[in-house]
Amino acid sequence: MQSVPDSHERAAGWAPSGRFPLLLRRKGWTMDSWPDSVSLDEYKRLYRALRTLSAGNRTLARARDEETLLHDMVHAIVEQGGYRMAWIGYADHDEHKTIRVMAHAGVEEGIFETFPLSWADEIRHPTALALQSGAPRVGHLVQEDPALAHLHAEQRKRGYVAVSAFPLVIDGRIGGNLSIIASEADAFREEEVNVLGELAEDVAFGIAAIRSRKRQEEAEAALRHMALHDGVTGLPNRVLFRSRLEALAHEVSPTVHPFAVALLSVDQFREVNEMLGPDQGNALMLQVTRRLEGAIDGADLLARVGDDEFALLWCDTDADRAMRKATRVLALLDEPLSLAELAVDARARLGIALFPGHGTEPDALMRRAAVAAREARHSAARCAVFTGDLDRECSRNLALIAELHRAIAGGQLRLYCQPKVDLASGAACGAEALVRWAHPDQGLIGPDRFIKLAENAGLITPLTDWMLGAAFRQLYAWQADGLHIPLAINLSARDLLDARLVERIHGHFLTWGVEPANVQFELTESALLEDPDRSLETLNELKDMGVQLAVDDFGTGYSSLSYLQRLPADSIKIDQSFVSRMMAHEGSDAIVRSTIDLGHDLGLGVTAEGVEDLETWRRLTTLKCDLAQGYFVSPPLPAAAFAAWQVPAGLRQMAAH
C-alpha cells in the first residue's frame, strides 16, 4: 500500500503542499488523517479531479458569456487537471438527435470525424449513452468496447484509454454533455468521478445562469427600447430625440456647431385613422417613415414624436442648408402613398428651429419648430423657419388663454348680435349671437382672436355655456318686451360631441321659458364631420325640442349630399369667402348660385353671410337668396342696442321694388 506523498514527491510538482488542505479538507482528510485504504495513485487521481474542480470554479466565476465559459472550462480540465482531452457538446432534440460540439481541448485533431455526433438510440459510444440515459457513463475503457472496435487503432495512437461522459442537465432538461478522456486505464475511480460529476453540475448551472442573465439583459434591453422608441415605426420617440438634442446642445467643444430641428406634421393621418381605421393609419406612418429615412445622413436623426408628427435633427446645419434639406424631405412625400388600394396624399408641412439662434435648450427648440410648423400651413412651400415674431405671437396667445379663464368667470365677455335681413321684403328676420371680450387692457377683442385658442386649450365648453346663458337671457328679455325674433347660437365640434350638451340646453329652456321657434343653432360642416353619426344623433335630439338648425360656412367642408339629406337642418349659410368675391370672381359666383339652387331643391332656406356692398346685395336678390347678413346690412351690435335697430330705409325700398 502506497502512502501519502512525501516532500520529494510534492517537489516533483504534482501535489503542491499548500493546496493539500484546501483541496481535500472538503473530504474530511488532512495530512495527519490520510485513510490507509487510499493508495498513492488514487490520491493522485483525486487530487487531479479536485484541482480540475477548483480551476472549473474559477472559470465559472469569471465567465461573462456562454462561449467563453465552455472554452475556458475544457481548457481548464486539460491544462489544470491533466486529462488527455475534454469536450462539451449540446444535444439537439431534432430528428437526428444531433450533438453539436461547442468547445474542446487536448489531443483531439480529427477525432470528431471518427464517430457519429448523435445521441440516437442506435448509437453506442459513451457520450451518446450518457445522453440517452441521463446518467454518467463512467470509466469506459475504449479498448474493451467492441462497439468502438473501428476506433481502437486511432485511439491508441492518441493515447485515449478511459472515457467518462456526464450529461448536462440545463433548466431541468438534458441539454448537453461534458466528456473527459484520460490516458490511464484506472482513471475515474469513485471519489474522482464524484468530484467530476460535481464539476459537470457546476458547468450546467453556469450555462443556465448565463442564459438566465442573458434573458434578463435582453428583457431589460427590450424594455429600454420600448421606452425610447415608437412601437409602430421603430423610430426613436420624443424622449430619446430630446435626450439626443440635450447631449448635442451641451457638447463641450471649443467651436459651436449649429444644427437644425425640424418638425414635420402629416395632416392626412387623422383623416386616414378615422375613415380607414388605426391599422391603415399605422400603415400610412410606416410608409412615411420609409421615405423620410432617405433624408437621414450620418449623425442626423429621425424620430416619431407624436401621432402625426416626426422630428428630424440635422447636425452641423445652418439656415440655408436646413431649407434645402426641408425641400428635399417634402419632395420625398410628393408622390401619393399606396394605402388600402387607394392613392393617399400625405399632405405634410414642416417647421424649422435652429441652434443656437432660436434657443439652446431642447424644449425651446422643439416648441419653436412646432410654432413654425403651424405657420407652414399658410405657406405655399409648406415649410417655415421660426422667427421671433412667431414666438412673440405664441407668447401672446399663451397669455391670452390664461386670461380667458378669468374672463369667462369674471364678467368680461359681451353678447353682440348681427342682424339678418330678408332679401325679398327687406325686413329684419333674425340675428346671430356673437361674443366680444372686453379686455381691461387691450379693449374689445373679436372672436377671431380667441375662439380658436379656446378650442385648442379646452375652454370651448365653458365658453359655449356662457354663450347659451347670455343668448337665452337675451331672448327672454326680448320676449318680455314683445319682440319675437330668432337668435342663432354657434356650436363647435366639441360641443356636438359633449354628452351633456342636450341636457344643458334643455335646462336653459326650463329656466327661461323661451319659445323654441326663436332659438337657432348654427353648426359648421367641418364640425359635423368630426363624428357624423354622433353629431346626427345630437342634432335629432335638438330638433325634437323644436329649435331651428342651420349648416354654417357651407361649401368649405367635404360633406356629401347624402349626408346633407340626412341632417334635420332648416337652412344653410353660404360661407362669406364665396359671397365676398362673387362680383369679382366667376367661380365664386357660380358656387353661390349653385348652392342657392341646391338649398332650395332640398327645401332649405339659404342665408348669404359676408354681404359687404350694394352690388352683392342686388346679385343675391337676383339669385333669389333668402337672407343676407354682413356689414352692408349692419355690423354686430351690442345685444342691448339690437332691439332699437332698424333696417336701413334704402334696403327696404330696394326690396319693395
Side-chain angles (χ1 to χ4, degrees):
M1 178 70 67
Q2 290 176 302
S3 63
V4 68
D6 58 22
S7 59
H8 176 75
E9 290 171 315
R10 293 185 192 124
W14 65 270
S17 59
R19 297 289 298 280
F20 182 89
L22 178 65
L23 294 176
L24 298 180
R25 188 177 297 153
R26 62 191 296 165
K27 308 299 296 181
W29 299 345
T30 68
M31 293 291 289
D32 298 326
S33 61
W34 180 258
D36 293 337
S37 60
V38 178
S39 68
L40 179 59
D41 286 341
E42 288 175 309
Y43 169 82
K44 291 178 180 179
R45 304 283 185 272
L46 180 57
Y47 179 79
R48 176 173 68 179
L50 288 169
R51 186 169 58 190
T52 302
L53 179 62
S54 178
N57 287 336
R58 289 196 300 274
T59 297
L60 284 168
R62 296 169 182 169
R64 290 294 175 265
D65 61 79
E66 193 168 333
E67 182 180 357
T68 301
L69 169 65
L70 303 184
H71 175 272
D72 292 352
M73 187 61 70
V74 294
H75 280 271
I77 292 170
V78 172
E79 295 166 9
Q80 302 298 319
Y83 290 95
R84 191 71 172 166
M85 179 191 170
W87 66 283
I88 294 175
Y90 282 171
D92 289 342
H93 292 261
D94 59 359
E95 179 183 359
H96 303 290
K97 292 190 173 182
T98 305
I99 301 174
R100 288 181 290 123
V101 179
M102 305 303 298
H104 51 82
V107 185
E108 78 293 330
E109 183 180 354
I111 185 60
F112 297 112
E113 287 76 33
T114 63
F115 67 96
L117 289 171
S118 170
W119 58 291
D121 293 343
E122 64 274 13
I123 306 300
R124 309 307 296 168
H125 58 70
T127 297
L129 294 171
L131 291 171
Q132 292 163 11
S133 64
R137 188 71 175 182
V138 176
H140 192 98
L141 298 176
V142 295
Q143 297 297 319
E144 296 179 4
D145 187 349
L148 302 178
H150 64 291
L151 300 178
H152 287 172
E154 186 70 23
Q155 290 170 335
R156 280 194 300 272
K157 183 176 71 175
R158 297 174 183 274
Y160 297 169
V161 177
V163 178
S164 286
F166 301 87
L168 301 178
V169 180
I170 305 170
D171 293 330
R173 186 184 189 191
I174 295 176
N177 65 279
L178 169 61
S179 298
I180 303 174
I181 301 174
S183 58
E184 305 89 359
D186 58 350
F188 305 120
R189 298 293 177 89
E190 180 180 358
E191 293 293 345
E192 183 180 2
V193 167
N194 289 341
V195 174
L196 294 176
E198 186 176 338
L199 176 64
E201 292 175 0
D202 290 345
V203 172
F205 175 81
I207 294 170
I210 288 174
R211 290 180 180 178
S212 176
R213 185 171 68 228
K214 184 178 180 181
R215 287 194 295 269
Q216 182 177 354
E217 290 171 351
E218 289 174 347
E220 291 173 352
L223 288 174
R224 286 194 299 272
H225 188 275
M226 289 172 60
L228 297 174
H229 291 79
D230 174 56
V232 174
T233 63
L235 293 174
N237 62 12
R238 179 178 288 271
V239 175
L240 183 54
F241 187 82
R242 186 190 180 283
S243 176
R244 175 71 185 282
L245 282 188
E246 190 166 29
L248 198 59
H250 295 95
E251 189 176 71
V252 178
S253 173
T255 304
V256 174
H257 294 281
F259 60 82
V261 176
L263 194 71
L264 183 141
S265 295
V266 182
D267 295 334
Q268 193 78 337
F269 170 75
R270 296 189 186 279
E271 293 179 21
V272 169
N273 215 42
E274 292 170 3
M275 295 177 63
L276 301 180
D279 288 344
Q280 294 301 323
N282 290 340
L284 172 68
M285 299 311 277
L286 277 171
Q287 289 193 46
V288 172
T289 298
R290 299 290 89 83
R291 293 197 184 182
L292 293 180
E293 285 173 336
I296 299 302
D297 301 317
D300 293 349
L301 182 65
L302 170 67
R304 187 183 183 190
V305 296
D307 287 344
D308 59 354
E309 290 181 328
F310 293 90
L312 298 104
L313 169 62
W314 293 321
C315 298
D316 198 14
T317 299
D318 58 17
D320 184 55
R321 287 199 296 272
M323 283 301 294
R324 291 201 300 270
K325 288 190 175 189
T327 302
R328 177 187 169 197
V329 165
L330 292 171
L332 292 172
L333 299 176
D334 280 345
E335 289 295 322
L337 303 170
S338 178
L339 200 66
E341 299 183 358
L342 300 172
V344 177
D345 178 10
R347 290 216 306 258
R349 51 191 166 81
L350 188 147
I352 300 170
L354 295 156
F355 172 91
H358 296 150
T360 57
E361 295 300 321
D363 292 337
L365 289 167
M366 292 186 71
R367 180 174 62 82
R368 288 166 178 171
V371 170
R374 286 194 294 273
E375 187 66 16
R377 290 192 182 109
H378 312 299
S379 167
R382 297 173 294 152
C383 177
V385 178
F386 175 81
T387 66
D389 291 340
L390 294 177
D391 200 32
R392 285 189 289 273
E393 180 66 21
C394 184
S395 297
R396 284 196 296 268
N397 289 341
L398 288 173
L400 211 58
I401 289 171
E403 293 180 65
L404 186 56
H405 279 276
R406 297 188 293 271
I408 294 173
Q412 296 180 15
L413 301 184
R414 303 286 184 267
L415 180 67
Y416 273 61
C417 299
Q418 186 171 32
K420 300 177 184 179
V421 173
D422 188 306
L423 282 159
S425 66
C429 57
E432 180 179 358
L434 301 170
V435 63
R436 298 292 185 269
W437 179 1
H439 193 282
D441 299 320
Q442 300 183 37
L444 206 62
I445 300 176
D448 56 319
R449 280 285 310 280
F450 63 89
I451 293 294
K452 197 64 180 177
L453 291 178
E455 290 181 341
N456 294 335
L459 289 175
I460 198 64
T461 297
L463 187 59
T464 299
D465 282 343
W466 183 91
M467 282 292 297
L468 288 170
F472 272 84
R473 185 180 293 108
Q474 188 61 57
L475 282 167
Y476 170 78
W478 289 343
Q479 191 170 294
D481 291 339
L483 180 63
H484 298 276
I485 191 166
L487 184 60
I489 306 165
N490 289 283
L491 296 177
S492 72
R494 295 196 181 190
D495 292 328
L496 289 180
L497 301 180
D498 184 349
R500 296 190 61 249
L501 175 67
V502 174
E503 178 185 342
R504 294 203 308 274
I505 292 173
H506 181 65
H508 284 294
F509 275 114
L510 293 176
T511 301
W512 297 103
V514 170
E515 296 177 8
N518 289 333
V519 178
Q520 186 180 61
F521 291 107
E522 294 186 0
L523 317 105
T524 63
E525 270 190 285
S526 56
L528 295 171
L529 294 176
E530 285 282 331
D531 187 338
D533 292 336
R534 190 169 170 184
S535 296
L536 186 59
E537 181 181 349
T538 300
L539 294 180
N540 283 324
E541 291 180 12
L542 291 175
K543 192 62 182 173
D544 289 342
M545 294 182 184
V547 303
Q548 298 179 40
L549 299 175
V551 179
D552 197 5
D553 298 340
F554 190 81
T556 60
Y558 304 95
S559 59
S560 65
L561 292 178
S562 61
Y563 182 68
L564 185 61
Q565 282 184 306
R566 294 167 58 200
L567 291 176
D570 300 286
S571 62
I572 57 177
K573 294 183 71 175
I574 308 173
D575 187 69
Q576 61 182 346
S577 63
F578 302 118
V579 175
S580 62
R581 295 187 302 164
M582 62 184 298
M583 300 308 298
H585 194 278
E586 291 184 3
S588 294
D589 184 80
I591 290 174
V592 172
R593 183 177 66 252
S594 300
T595 304
I596 293 171
D597 292 341
L598 172 65
H600 289 161
D601 289 343
L602 293 174
L604 302 174
V606 181
T607 300
E609 57 181 349
V611 180
E612 308 297 329
D613 51 55
L614 177 60
E615 291 77 12
T616 304
W617 170 279
R618 287 173 171 167
R619 177 60 176 160
L620 290 168
T621 302
T622 301
L623 296 175
K624 300 189 182 305
C625 185
D626 299 307
L627 307 180
Q629 176 184 345
Y631 274 70
F632 181 68
V633 176
S634 172
L637 304 169
F642 179 82
W645 178 81
Q646 297 290 327
V647 177
L651 294 185
R652 292 199 304 269
Q653 290 173 359
M654 280 189 291
H657 292 85

